[in-house]
Amino acid sequence: MKRAPALAVIWLVLAGGLPAMAKAGDACDLALQLLGADYERLPAQGRDECSVPDPVRLKRLSPEIALPGEPVLQCDTARAMALWADRMLKPAAAMMPGAPRLTAIRTGPGHVCRDRVGTGKDDPKPSEHSTGSAIDVTAFEFDNGATIAIEPREGDMQTAYQAAARAGACLFFTTVLGPGANAAHDDHLHLDMAERNGGWRLCQ
Ligand SMILES: [Zn+2]
C-alpha cells in the first residue's frame, strides 16, 4: 500500500494530468522519459496552417520498441503513442503463441502538409497530419521475425492482434481509422488527437 501514492503520481504524469506542477511540455517530456522513449526536441516546424506546436522527432517508444520512420509529432501525440505501446501493444503481443515481443512499429512521417482526404478543392480542410497531431501506423514487427502489416484481415491470430491494437488505440487517441473505415485506410491505422465538441471520439 505504501507504493500507491507514488504510482498515482506516475500515472498522473504519464496521462498528462499535472498542469499545476509543470508546464505542458515539461510534463510530456517527463512522461516520455518515464516510458523510456528516445526522442529529440525540435525547433518550431512549418508555418501557418501547417505548423507543429511542441514538436519532437520520436525514434523509440521504449528501449525495446523502435520507430524506424522517426516521425515528427506534437509531444502529446508522441506520449499517446508511447502509452498505447506500453499498455496495449506489449501485453497483447505476449498473448500470441510463443509470446513474441514487439520490437518495432512502422509508421509514416507524422507531420505532413496536406489537406484531409475527401475534402474538396472548394472546401479544403487541413489534415491532422498538418499539425503533427496524427500518425499513420503500417505494421508491427516482433522479435521472432514476424510482421503484422495493417490490412483487411479475417480469422487468424494476426487479425486478433490488429483488432486489439485498433480498439485499444481509441483509449489514447480521439480518432482511429483503419481497414474498412474507407478505401484510403485499408493499409494503415490513422491515429490522431483531434479535439471535438463534447469530447467525441471517432473510432471506426
Ligand atoms: Zn493519417
Side-chain angles (χ1 to χ4, degrees), residues 35-97:
L35 291 161
D38 180 11
Y39 65 102
E40 180 188 344
R41 278 269 165 202
L42 298 177
Q45 300 287 302
R47 29 190 317 201
D48 302 327
E49 281 197 325
C50 190
S51 61
V52 184
D54 205 20
V56 299
R57 183 184 306 283
L58 191 55
K59 300 172 182 176
R60 304 187 78 86
L61 292 169
S62 70
E64 309 91 50
I65 305 171
L67 285 182
E70 300 195 357
V72 172
L73 301 167
Q74 290 185 29
C75 194
D76 281 351
T77 302
R79 170 172 52 191
M81 233 194 139
L83 276 170
W84 174 51
D86 187 64
R87 304 299 153 95
M88 295 288 159
L89 302 178
K90 275 168 62 175
M95 293 297 111
M96 291 196 288

Coordinates of all heavy atoms in Angstrom, one line a residue, residues 35-97:
L35 N 8.7 6.4 -19.7 CA 8.4 5.3 -20.5 C 9.6 4.8 -21.3 O 9.6 3.8 -21.9 CB 7.3 5.6 -21.5 CG 5.9 5.9 -20.9 CD1 5.0 6.6 -21.9 CD2 5.3 4.5 -20.6
G36 N 10.7 5.5 -21.1 CA 12.0 5.1 -21.8 C 12.1 5.4 -23.2 O 12.8 4.8 -24.0
A37 N 11.3 6.4 -23.7 CA 11.3 6.7 -25.1 C 12.6 7.4 -25.5 O 13.2 8.1 -24.6 CB 10.1 7.7 -25.4
D38 N 13.0 7.3 -26.8 CA 14.1 8.0 -27.3 C 13.6 9.0 -28.3 O 12.9 8.6 -29.3 CB 15.1 7.0 -28.0 CG 16.3 7.7 -28.6 OD1 16.5 8.9 -28.3 OD2 17.0 7.1 -29.3
Y39 N 13.8 10.3 -28.1 CA 13.2 11.3 -28.9 C 14.1 12.6 -28.9 O 15.0 12.7 -28.0 CB 11.8 11.7 -28.5 CG 11.8 12.3 -27.1 CD1 11.6 13.7 -27.0 CD2 11.9 11.6 -25.9 CE1 11.6 14.3 -25.7 CE2 11.9 12.2 -24.7 CZ 11.7 13.5 -24.6 OH 11.7 14.1 -23.4
E40 N 13.8 13.4 -29.8 CA 14.6 14.7 -29.9 C 13.7 15.8 -30.0 O 12.7 15.8 -30.7 CB 15.4 14.6 -31.3 CG 16.3 15.7 -31.6 CD 16.8 15.5 -33.1 OE1 16.7 14.3 -33.6 OE2 17.3 16.5 -33.6
R41 N 13.9 16.8 -29.1 CA 13.1 18.0 -29.2 C 13.5 18.8 -30.5 O 14.7 18.9 -30.8 CB 13.4 18.9 -28.0 CG 12.6 18.5 -26.8 CD 11.3 19.2 -26.7 NE 10.4 18.6 -25.8 CZ 9.0 18.9 -25.9 NH1 8.6 19.6 -26.9 NH2 8.2 18.3 -25.1
L42 N 12.5 19.4 -31.2 CA 12.8 20.1 -32.4 C 12.4 21.5 -32.3 O 11.5 21.9 -31.5 CB 12.0 19.5 -33.6 CG 12.3 18.0 -33.9 CD1 11.4 17.6 -35.1 CD2 13.8 17.8 -34.4
P43 N 13.0 22.4 -33.1 CA 12.6 23.8 -33.1 C 11.2 23.8 -33.8 O 10.8 22.8 -34.4 CB 13.6 24.5 -34.0 CG 14.3 23.4 -34.7 CD 14.2 22.2 -33.9
A44 N 10.5 24.9 -33.8 CA 9.2 25.0 -34.4 C 9.2 24.5 -35.9 O 10.2 24.8 -36.6 CB 8.7 26.5 -34.4
Q45 N 8.2 23.7 -36.3 CA 8.2 23.1 -37.6 C 7.1 23.7 -38.4 O 6.0 23.9 -37.9 CB 7.9 21.6 -37.5 CG 8.9 20.8 -36.7 CD 10.2 20.7 -37.4 OE1 10.2 20.1 -38.5 NE2 11.3 21.2 -36.8
G46 N 7.3 24.1 -39.7 CA 6.3 24.5 -40.6 C 5.8 25.9 -40.2 O 6.3 26.6 -39.3
R47 N 4.7 26.4 -40.9 CA 4.2 27.7 -40.6 C 2.7 27.7 -40.9 O 2.2 26.8 -41.6 CB 4.9 28.8 -41.3 CG 5.5 28.4 -42.7 CD 6.3 29.5 -43.3 NE 5.8 30.8 -43.2 CZ 6.1 31.8 -44.0 NH1 7.0 31.6 -44.9 NH2 5.6 33.0 -43.8
D48 N 2.0 28.7 -40.3 CA 0.6 28.9 -40.5 C -0.2 27.6 -40.3 O -0.1 27.1 -39.2 CB 0.3 29.5 -41.9 CG 1.1 30.8 -42.2 OD1 1.3 31.5 -41.2 OD2 1.5 31.0 -43.3
E49 N -1.0 27.2 -41.2 CA -1.9 26.1 -41.0 C -1.1 24.8 -41.0 O -1.7 23.7 -40.7 CB -3.0 26.0 -42.1 CG -4.1 27.0 -41.9 CD -5.3 26.6 -42.7 OE1 -5.1 26.1 -43.9 OE2 -6.4 26.8 -42.3
C50 N 0.2 24.8 -41.3 CA 0.9 23.6 -41.3 C 2.1 23.7 -40.3 O 3.3 23.5 -40.7 CB 1.5 23.3 -42.7 SG 2.2 21.7 -42.8
S51 N 1.8 24.1 -39.1 CA 2.9 24.2 -38.1 C 2.6 23.3 -36.9 O 1.4 23.0 -36.6 CB 3.0 25.6 -37.6 OG 1.8 26.0 -37.0
V52 N 3.7 22.7 -36.3 CA 3.5 21.7 -35.3 C 3.9 22.4 -33.9 O 5.0 22.8 -33.7 CB 4.5 20.6 -35.5 CG1 4.3 19.5 -34.4 CG2 4.3 20.0 -36.9
P53 N 2.9 22.5 -33.0 CA 3.3 23.0 -31.7 C 4.0 21.9 -30.9 O 3.7 20.7 -31.0 CB 1.9 23.3 -31.1 CG 0.9 22.5 -31.8 CD 1.5 22.2 -33.2
D54 N 5.0 22.3 -30.1 CA 5.7 21.4 -29.2 C 6.2 20.1 -29.9 O 6.0 19.0 -29.5 CB 4.7 21.0 -28.2 CG 5.3 20.5 -26.9 OD1 6.5 20.9 -26.6 OD2 4.7 19.8 -26.1
P55 N 7.0 20.3 -31.0 CA 7.4 19.2 -31.9 C 8.5 18.3 -31.3 O 9.5 18.8 -30.7 CB 7.8 19.8 -33.2 CG 8.3 21.1 -32.8 CD 7.5 21.6 -31.6
V56 N 8.4 17.0 -31.6 CA 9.5 16.1 -31.2 C 9.7 15.1 -32.4 O 8.8 14.9 -33.2 CB 9.2 15.2 -30.0 CG1 9.1 16.1 -28.7 CG2 8.0 14.3 -30.1
R57 N 11.0 14.6 -32.6 CA 11.2 13.5 -33.5 C 11.3 12.3 -32.6 O 12.2 12.2 -31.8 CB 12.5 13.7 -34.3 CG 12.7 12.6 -35.3 CD 14.1 12.8 -36.1 NE 14.2 14.1 -36.7 CZ 13.7 14.5 -37.8 NH1 12.9 13.7 -38.5 NH2 13.9 15.7 -38.3
L58 N 10.4 11.3 -32.9 CA 10.3 10.2 -32.0 C 11.0 9.0 -32.6 O 10.7 8.5 -33.7 CB 8.8 9.8 -31.8 CG 8.4 8.8 -30.7 CD1 9.0 9.2 -29.3 CD2 6.9 8.7 -30.6
K59 N 12.1 8.5 -31.9 CA 12.9 7.4 -32.5 C 12.6 6.0 -31.9 O 12.7 5.0 -32.6 CB 14.4 7.7 -32.3 CG 14.8 9.0 -33.0 CD 16.2 9.4 -32.5 CE 16.6 10.8 -33.2 NZ 17.9 11.2 -32.7
R60 N 12.3 6.0 -30.6 CA 11.9 4.8 -30.0 C 10.8 5.1 -29.0 O 10.9 6.1 -28.3 CB 13.1 4.1 -29.2 CG 14.3 3.8 -30.1 CD 15.4 3.0 -29.3 NE 15.0 1.6 -29.2 CZ 15.3 0.7 -30.1 NH1 16.0 1.1 -31.2 NH2 14.9 -0.5 -30.0
L61 N 9.8 4.2 -28.9 CA 8.8 4.4 -27.9 C 9.2 3.9 -26.5 O 8.6 4.3 -25.5 CB 7.5 3.6 -28.3 CG 6.9 4.1 -29.6 CD1 5.8 3.1 -30.1 CD2 6.3 5.5 -29.3
S62 N 10.2 3.0 -26.5 CA 10.7 2.5 -25.2 C 12.1 1.9 -25.7 O 12.4 1.8 -26.8 CB 9.8 1.4 -24.7 OG 9.8 0.2 -25.5
P63 N 12.9 1.4 -24.7 CA 14.1 0.8 -25.1 C 14.0 -0.4 -26.0 O 14.8 -0.7 -26.8 CB 14.7 0.3 -23.7 CG 14.1 1.3 -22.7 CD 12.8 1.6 -23.2
E64 N 12.8 -1.1 -26.0 CA 12.6 -2.3 -26.8 C 12.0 -2.0 -28.2 O 12.1 -2.7 -29.1 CB 11.7 -3.3 -26.1 CG 12.1 -3.7 -24.7 CD 11.4 -2.8 -23.7 OE1 10.2 -2.6 -23.8 OE2 12.1 -2.3 -22.8
I65 N 11.2 -0.9 -28.3 CA 10.3 -0.7 -29.4 C 10.8 0.5 -30.3 O 10.7 1.7 -29.9 CB 8.9 -0.4 -29.0 CG1 8.4 -1.6 -28.1 CG2 8.0 -0.3 -30.2 CD1 7.0 -1.3 -27.5
A66 N 11.4 0.2 -31.5 CA 11.9 1.2 -32.4 C 10.8 1.7 -33.3 O 9.8 1.1 -33.6 CB 13.0 0.6 -33.2
L67 N 11.0 3.0 -33.7 CA 10.2 3.6 -34.8 C 11.1 4.0 -35.9 O 11.6 5.1 -36.0 CB 9.5 4.9 -34.2 CG 8.4 4.7 -33.2 CD1 7.9 6.1 -32.8 CD2 7.2 3.9 -33.8
P68 N 11.3 3.0 -36.9 CA 12.3 3.3 -37.9 C 11.9 4.5 -38.8 O 12.7 5.2 -39.4 CB 12.3 2.0 -38.8 CG 11.3 1.1 -38.2 CD 10.8 1.7 -36.9
G69 N 10.6 4.9 -38.8 CA 10.2 6.0 -39.6 C 10.5 7.4 -38.9 O 10.4 8.4 -39.5
E70 N 10.9 7.3 -37.6 CA 11.3 8.5 -36.9 C 10.3 9.7 -37.1 O 10.7 10.8 -37.6 CB 12.7 9.0 -37.1 CG 13.7 7.9 -36.8 CD 15.1 8.4 -36.7 OE1 15.4 9.6 -37.0 OE2 16.0 7.6 -36.3
P71 N 9.0 9.5 -36.9 CA 8.0 10.5 -37.2 C 8.2 11.8 -36.3 O 8.7 11.8 -35.2 CB 6.7 9.9 -36.8 CG 7.0 8.8 -35.8 CD 8.4 8.3 -36.2
V72 N 7.8 12.9 -37.0 CA 7.8 14.2 -36.3 C 6.3 14.5 -35.8 O 5.4 14.4 -36.6 CB 8.2 15.4 -37.2 CG1 8.0 16.7 -36.5 CG2 9.7 15.2 -37.5
L73 N 6.2 14.7 -34.5 CA 4.8 14.7 -33.9 C 4.8 15.8 -32.8 O 5.8 16.2 -32.2 CB 4.5 13.4 -33.2 CG 4.5 12.1 -34.1 CD1 4.5 10.9 -33.3 CD2 3.3 12.1 -35.1
Q74 N 3.5 16.3 -32.5 CA 3.4 17.0 -31.3 C 3.7 16.1 -30.1 O 3.5 14.9 -30.2 CB 1.9 17.4 -31.1 CG 1.4 18.5 -32.1 CD 0.0 18.9 -31.8 OE1 -0.5 18.9 -30.7 NE2 -0.7 19.3 -32.9
C75 N 4.2 16.7 -29.1 CA 4.7 15.8 -28.0 C 3.5 15.0 -27.4 O 3.6 13.9 -27.0 CB 5.3 16.7 -26.9 SG 6.2 15.6 -25.6
D76 N 2.3 15.6 -27.3 CA 1.1 14.9 -26.8 C 0.8 13.7 -27.6 O 0.4 12.6 -27.1 CB -0.1 15.8 -26.8 CG -0.1 16.8 -25.7 OD1 0.7 16.7 -24.8 OD2 -1.0 17.7 -25.7
T77 N 1.0 13.7 -28.9 CA 0.7 12.6 -29.8 C 1.8 11.5 -29.6 O 1.5 10.3 -29.5 CB 0.7 13.0 -31.3 OG1 -0.3 14.0 -31.4 CG2 0.4 11.8 -32.2
A78 N 3.0 12.0 -29.4 CA 4.1 11.0 -29.1 C 3.9 10.3 -27.8 O 4.1 9.1 -27.7 CB 5.5 11.8 -29.0
R79 N 3.4 11.1 -26.8 CA 3.1 10.4 -25.5 C 2.0 9.4 -25.6 O 2.0 8.3 -25.0 CB 2.7 11.5 -24.5 CG 2.2 10.9 -23.2 CD 2.0 12.0 -22.1 NE 1.2 13.1 -22.6 CZ 1.0 14.2 -21.9 NH1 1.6 14.4 -20.8 NH2 0.3 15.2 -22.4
A80 N 0.9 9.8 -26.4 CA -0.2 8.8 -26.6 C 0.3 7.6 -27.2 O -0.1 6.4 -26.9 CB -1.3 9.5 -27.4
M81 N 1.2 7.7 -28.2 CA 1.7 6.5 -28.9 C 2.5 5.6 -27.9 O 2.4 4.4 -27.9 CB 2.6 7.0 -30.0 CG 2.3 6.4 -31.3 SD 3.6 6.7 -32.5 CE 3.5 5.1 -33.3
A82 N 3.4 6.3 -27.1 CA 4.2 5.5 -26.2 C 3.3 4.8 -25.1 O 3.6 3.7 -24.8 CB 5.2 6.5 -25.5
L83 N 2.3 5.5 -24.7 CA 1.4 4.8 -23.7 C 0.6 3.7 -24.3 O 0.4 2.6 -23.7 CB 0.4 5.8 -23.2 CG 0.8 6.7 -22.0 CD1 -0.1 7.8 -21.7 CD2 1.0 5.9 -20.7
W84 N 0.1 3.9 -25.6 CA -0.6 2.8 -26.3 C 0.3 1.6 -26.4 O -0.1 0.4 -26.2 CB -1.0 3.4 -27.7 CG -1.6 2.4 -28.6 CD1 -2.7 1.6 -28.5 CD2 -1.2 2.3 -30.0 NE1 -3.0 1.0 -29.6 CE2 -2.1 1.4 -30.6 CE3 -0.2 2.9 -30.8 CZ2 -2.0 1.0 -31.9 CZ3 -0.1 2.5 -32.2 CH2 -1.0 1.5 -32.7
A85 N 1.6 1.8 -26.8 CA 2.5 0.7 -26.9 C 2.7 0.0 -25.6 O 2.7 -1.3 -25.6 CB 3.8 1.2 -27.5
D86 N 2.9 0.7 -24.6 CA 3.3 0.2 -23.3 C 2.1 -0.6 -22.7 O 2.2 -1.7 -22.1 CB 3.7 1.3 -22.3 CG 4.2 0.7 -21.0 OD1 5.2 0.0 -21.0 OD2 3.6 1.0 -20.0
R87 N 0.9 0.0 -22.7 CA -0.3 -0.5 -22.0 C -1.1 -1.5 -22.9 O -1.9 -2.3 -22.3 CB -1.2 0.6 -21.6 CG -0.5 1.6 -20.7 CD 0.0 1.0 -19.4 NE 1.1 1.7 -18.9 CZ 1.0 2.6 -17.9 NH1 -0.1 2.9 -17.4 NH2 2.1 3.2 -17.5
M88 N -1.0 -1.4 -24.2 CA -1.8 -2.3 -25.1 C -1.0 -3.2 -26.0 O -1.3 -4.4 -26.0 CB -2.7 -1.4 -26.0 CG -3.7 -0.5 -25.2 SD -5.1 -1.6 -24.6 CE -5.7 -0.6 -23.3
L89 N -0.1 -2.6 -26.7 CA 0.6 -3.4 -27.7 C 1.5 -4.5 -27.2 O 1.6 -5.6 -27.7 CB 1.4 -2.5 -28.7 CG 0.5 -1.4 -29.4 CD1 1.4 -0.5 -30.3 CD2 -0.6 -2.1 -30.2
K90 N 2.3 -4.1 -26.1 CA 3.2 -5.0 -25.5 C 2.4 -6.2 -24.8 O 2.7 -7.4 -25.1 CB 4.1 -4.3 -24.5 CG 5.3 -3.7 -25.1 CD 6.0 -2.8 -24.1 CE 6.6 -3.5 -22.9 NZ 7.3 -2.6 -22.0
P91 N 1.5 -5.9 -24.0 CA 0.7 -7.1 -23.4 C 0.0 -7.9 -24.4 O -0.1 -9.1 -24.3 CB -0.3 -6.4 -22.4 CG 0.2 -5.0 -22.2 CD 1.1 -4.6 -23.4
A92 N -0.6 -7.3 -25.4 CA -1.3 -8.1 -26.5 C -0.3 -9.0 -27.2 O -0.7 -10.1 -27.5 CB -2.0 -7.1 -27.4
A93 N 0.9 -8.5 -27.5 CA 1.9 -9.4 -28.1 C 2.2 -10.6 -27.3 O 2.3 -11.7 -27.8 CB 3.2 -8.6 -28.4
A94 N 2.2 -10.4 -26.0 CA 2.5 -11.5 -25.1 C 1.4 -12.6 -25.1 O 1.7 -13.7 -24.6 CB 2.8 -11.0 -23.7
M95 N 0.3 -12.3 -25.6 CA -0.8 -13.2 -25.6 C -0.8 -14.1 -26.8 O -1.6 -15.1 -26.9 CB -2.2 -12.5 -25.6 CG -2.5 -11.7 -24.3 SD -2.6 -12.9 -22.9 CE -1.2 -12.5 -22.0
M96 N 0.1 -13.8 -27.8 CA 0.1 -14.6 -29.0 C 1.0 -15.8 -28.8 O 1.8 -15.9 -27.9 CB 0.7 -13.8 -30.2 CG -0.3 -12.7 -30.6 SD 0.0 -12.0 -32.2 CE 1.5 -11.0 -31.8
P97 N 0.9 -16.9 -29.6 CA 1.7 -18.1 -29.5 C 3.2 -17.8 -29.4 O 3.6 -17.0 -30.3 CB 1.3 -18.9 -30.7 CG -0.1 -18.4 -31.1 CD -0.1 -17.0 -30.7

